[in-house]
Protein backbone atom coordinates (compact mmCIF):
# COMPACT_ATOMS: atom_id res chain seq x y z
CA UNK A 1 0.00 0.00 0.00
CA UNK A 2 1.44 3.38 -0.99
CA UNK A 3 0.05 5.26 1.96
CA UNK A 4 0.83 8.84 2.89
CA UNK A 5 2.63 7.45 5.94
CA UNK A 6 4.84 5.26 3.74
CA UNK A 7 5.69 8.22 1.52
CA UNK A 8 6.44 10.46 4.50
CA UNK A 9 8.69 7.77 6.04
CA UNK A 10 10.70 7.85 2.81
CA UNK A 11 10.75 11.68 2.73
CA UNK A 12 8.75 11.82 -0.52
CA UNK A 13 7.44 15.31 -1.20
CA UNK A 14 6.39 14.84 -4.84
CA UNK A 15 4.56 11.75 -6.08
CA UNK A 16 4.63 11.50 -9.87
CA UNK A 17 1.89 9.24 -11.16
CA UNK A 18 1.59 7.51 -14.50
CA UNK A 19 -1.86 7.81 -16.01
CA UNK A 20 -2.99 4.73 -17.92
CA UNK A 21 -3.40 1.60 -15.82
CA UNK A 22 -1.94 3.37 -12.77
CA UNK A 23 -4.50 6.09 -11.99
CA UNK A 24 -7.22 4.60 -14.18
CA UNK A 25 -7.70 1.93 -16.84
CA UNK A 26 -7.22 2.90 -20.48
CA UNK A 27 -10.24 4.72 -21.89
CA UNK A 28 -11.82 5.72 -18.57
CA UNK A 29 -12.77 9.38 -18.77
CA UNK A 30 -12.70 10.44 -15.11
CA UNK A 31 -10.98 9.38 -11.87
CA UNK A 32 -12.72 6.97 -9.55
CA UNK A 33 -13.94 8.06 -6.13
CA UNK A 34 -11.26 5.81 -4.62
CA UNK A 35 -8.52 7.64 -6.57
CA UNK A 36 -9.99 11.03 -5.63
CA UNK A 37 -9.90 10.01 -1.95
CA UNK A 38 -6.33 8.72 -2.26
CA UNK A 39 -5.12 11.96 -3.86
CA UNK A 40 -6.94 14.03 -1.21
CA UNK A 41 -5.26 11.97 1.53
CA UNK A 42 -1.72 12.38 0.24
CA UNK A 43 -2.31 16.10 -0.34
CA UNK A 44 -3.59 16.45 3.23
CA UNK A 45 -0.31 14.90 4.36
CA UNK A 46 1.82 17.45 2.52
CA UNK A 47 2.74 15.32 -0.50
CA UNK A 48 2.17 16.80 -3.93
CA UNK A 49 0.75 14.44 -6.58
CA UNK A 50 1.61 15.16 -10.22
CA UNK A 51 0.51 13.24 -13.34
CA UNK A 52 3.29 12.33 -15.79
CA UNK A 53 1.66 10.61 -18.74
CA UNK A 54 2.97 9.33 -22.05
CA UNK A 55 -0.52 9.75 -23.49
CA UNK A 56 -0.92 12.21 -26.35
CA UNK A 57 -4.72 11.98 -26.43
CA UNK A 58 -6.24 15.45 -26.29
CA UNK A 59 -8.22 16.31 -23.19
CA UNK A 60 -8.06 13.16 -21.07
CA UNK A 61 -4.96 13.93 -18.99
CA UNK A 62 -6.16 17.49 -18.51
CA UNK A 63 -9.60 16.31 -17.31
CA UNK A 64 -8.03 13.95 -14.78
CA UNK A 65 -5.62 16.60 -13.52
CA UNK A 66 -8.41 19.13 -13.14
CA UNK A 67 -10.72 16.65 -11.39
CA UNK A 68 -7.94 15.67 -8.98
CA UNK A 69 -6.60 19.20 -8.56
CA UNK A 70 -3.06 18.24 -9.59
CA UNK A 71 -0.45 19.36 -12.10
CA UNK A 72 0.38 17.30 -15.15
CA UNK A 73 2.63 16.73 -18.12
CA UNK A 74 1.35 14.70 -21.06
CA UNK A 75 3.32 13.20 -23.95
CA UNK A 76 6.16 12.74 -21.43
CA UNK A 77 7.93 10.14 -23.60
CA UNK A 78 9.09 8.04 -20.64
CA UNK A 79 11.65 6.50 -20.25
CA UNK A 80 13.33 9.57 -21.72
CA UNK A 81 14.31 11.82 -18.80
CA UNK A 82 13.31 15.27 -20.08
CA UNK A 83 9.76 15.48 -18.63
CA UNK A 84 10.75 13.96 -15.28
CA UNK A 85 13.69 16.36 -14.94
CA UNK A 86 11.42 19.26 -15.92
CA UNK A 87 8.92 18.44 -13.15
CA UNK A 88 11.70 18.26 -10.53
CA UNK A 89 13.20 21.53 -11.78
CA UNK A 90 9.83 23.32 -11.67
CA UNK A 91 9.13 21.98 -8.18
CA UNK A 92 12.68 22.64 -6.95
CA UNK A 93 13.14 19.10 -5.65
CA UNK A 94 15.91 16.54 -5.74
CA UNK A 95 15.21 13.01 -7.02
CA UNK A 96 15.60 11.64 -3.48
CA UNK A 97 12.41 13.51 -2.47
CA UNK A 98 10.41 12.32 -5.47
CA UNK A 99 8.82 9.03 -6.44
CA UNK A 100 7.35 7.80 -9.71
CA UNK A 101 4.51 5.30 -9.58
CA UNK A 102 3.65 3.29 -12.67
CA UNK A 103 2.66 -0.07 -14.06
CA UNK A 104 5.36 -0.57 -16.72
CA UNK A 105 9.01 -1.48 -16.19
CA UNK A 106 10.18 -0.25 -19.60
CA UNK A 107 8.63 3.22 -19.36
CA UNK A 108 7.83 4.20 -15.77
CA UNK A 109 10.39 2.29 -13.72
CA UNK A 110 13.20 2.67 -16.23
CA UNK A 111 12.48 6.38 -16.73
CA UNK A 112 12.42 7.01 -13.00
CA UNK A 113 15.61 5.07 -12.44
CA UNK A 114 17.42 6.96 -15.21
CA UNK A 115 16.91 10.25 -13.33
CA UNK A 116 17.43 8.76 -9.86
CA UNK A 117 13.83 8.79 -8.63
CA UNK A 118 12.39 6.39 -6.13
CA UNK A 119 10.23 4.10 -8.26
CA UNK A 120 7.17 2.11 -7.32
CA UNK A 121 5.94 -0.58 -9.69
CA UNK A 122 2.24 -1.38 -9.49
CA UNK A 123 0.24 -4.24 -10.85
CA UNK A 124 -1.71 -2.83 -13.84
CA UNK A 125 -5.32 -1.99 -13.00
CA UNK A 126 -6.62 -3.87 -16.04
CA UNK A 127 -4.65 -6.18 -18.33
CA UNK A 128 -4.25 -4.90 -21.88
CA UNK A 129 -5.40 -7.13 -24.69
CA UNK A 130 -3.22 -6.08 -27.62
CA UNK A 131 -0.46 -8.43 -28.75
CA UNK A 132 2.19 -5.73 -28.15
CA UNK A 133 1.18 -5.29 -24.51
CA UNK A 134 0.77 -9.01 -23.88
CA UNK A 135 4.32 -9.61 -25.13
CA UNK A 136 5.68 -6.69 -23.09
CA UNK A 137 3.93 -7.98 -19.96
CA UNK A 138 5.48 -11.44 -20.44
CA UNK A 139 8.96 -9.93 -20.52
CA UNK A 140 8.12 -7.77 -17.49
CA UNK A 141 6.81 -10.80 -15.60
CA UNK A 142 10.05 -12.66 -16.35
CA UNK A 143 12.14 -9.69 -15.13
CA UNK A 144 10.05 -9.27 -11.98
CA UNK A 145 10.63 -12.90 -11.10
CA UNK A 146 14.30 -13.04 -12.17
CA UNK A 147 15.24 -9.81 -10.40
CA UNK A 148 12.98 -10.54 -7.41
CA UNK A 149 11.22 -7.20 -7.80
CA UNK A 150 8.38 -6.67 -5.40
CA UNK A 151 5.42 -4.63 -6.50
CA UNK A 152 2.45 -3.21 -4.71
CA UNK A 153 -1.04 -1.86 -5.29
CA UNK A 154 -2.53 1.49 -4.32
Amino acid sequence: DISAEFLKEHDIKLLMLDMDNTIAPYGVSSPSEEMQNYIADIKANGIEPFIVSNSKRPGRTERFAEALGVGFIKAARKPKPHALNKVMLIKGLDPSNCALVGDQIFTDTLGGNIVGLNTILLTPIKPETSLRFRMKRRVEKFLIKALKITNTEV
Side-chain angles (χ1 to χ4, degrees), residues 96-116:
S96 63
N97 298 118
C98 304
L100 175 61
V101 179
D103 67 302
Q104 294 187 55
I105 289 175
F106 298 114
T107 56
D108 307 313
T109 304
L110 180 59
N113 288 339
I114 286 170
V115 299

Side-chain angles (χ1 to χ4, degrees), residues 5-16:
E5 292 74 30
F6 173 85
L7 296 169
K8 287 167 77 172
E9 285 172 14
H10 291 86
D11 201 26
I12 301 301
K13 296 176 179 15
L14 178 67
L15 185 64
M16 296 186 221

Side-chain angles (χ1 to χ4, degrees), residues 4-5 8 36-49:
E5 292 74 30
K8 287 167 77 172
Q36 291 176 21
N37 292 338
Y38 175 74
I39 295 297
D41 180 54
I42 63 171
K43 285 174 151 183
N45 280 278
I47 300 157
E48 182 178 0

Side-chain angles (χ1 to χ4, degrees), residues 10-120:
H10 291 86
D11 201 26
I12 301 301
K13 296 176 179 15
L14 178 67
L15 185 64
M16 296 186 221
L17 298 157
D18 174 53
M19 178 79 173
D20 290 319
N21 253 345
T22 299
I23 293 178
Y26 287 96
V28 172
S29 61
S30 61
S32 67
E33 183 177 342
E34 180 183 12
M35 182 54 63
Q36 291 176 21
N37 292 338
Y38 175 74
I39 295 297
D41 180 54
I42 63 171
K43 285 174 151 183
N45 280 278
I47 300 157
E48 182 178 0
F50 196 98
I51 298 172
V52 180
S53 176
N54 279 356
S55 177
K56 297 175 188 171
R57 284 177 270 185
R60 184 166 179 258
T61 304
E62 295 88 338
R63 281 193 306 275
F64 268 78
E66 185 177 332
L68 295 170
V70 303
F72 71 93
I73 286 183
K74 67 179 189 177
R77 300 179 67 198
K78 295 171 287 175
K80 293 181 178 183
H82 178 74
L84 301 173
N85 283 326
K86 182 177 180 181
V87 174
M88 288 187 292
L89 181 66
I90 291 167
K91 299 300 178 182
L93 292 169
D94 293 322
S96 63
N97 298 118
C98 304
L100 175 61
V101 179
D103 67 302
Q104 294 187 55
I105 289 175
F106 298 114
T107 56
D108 307 313
T109 304
L110 180 59
N113 288 339
I114 286 170
V115 299
L117 297 174
N118 298 284
T119 56
I120 302 169

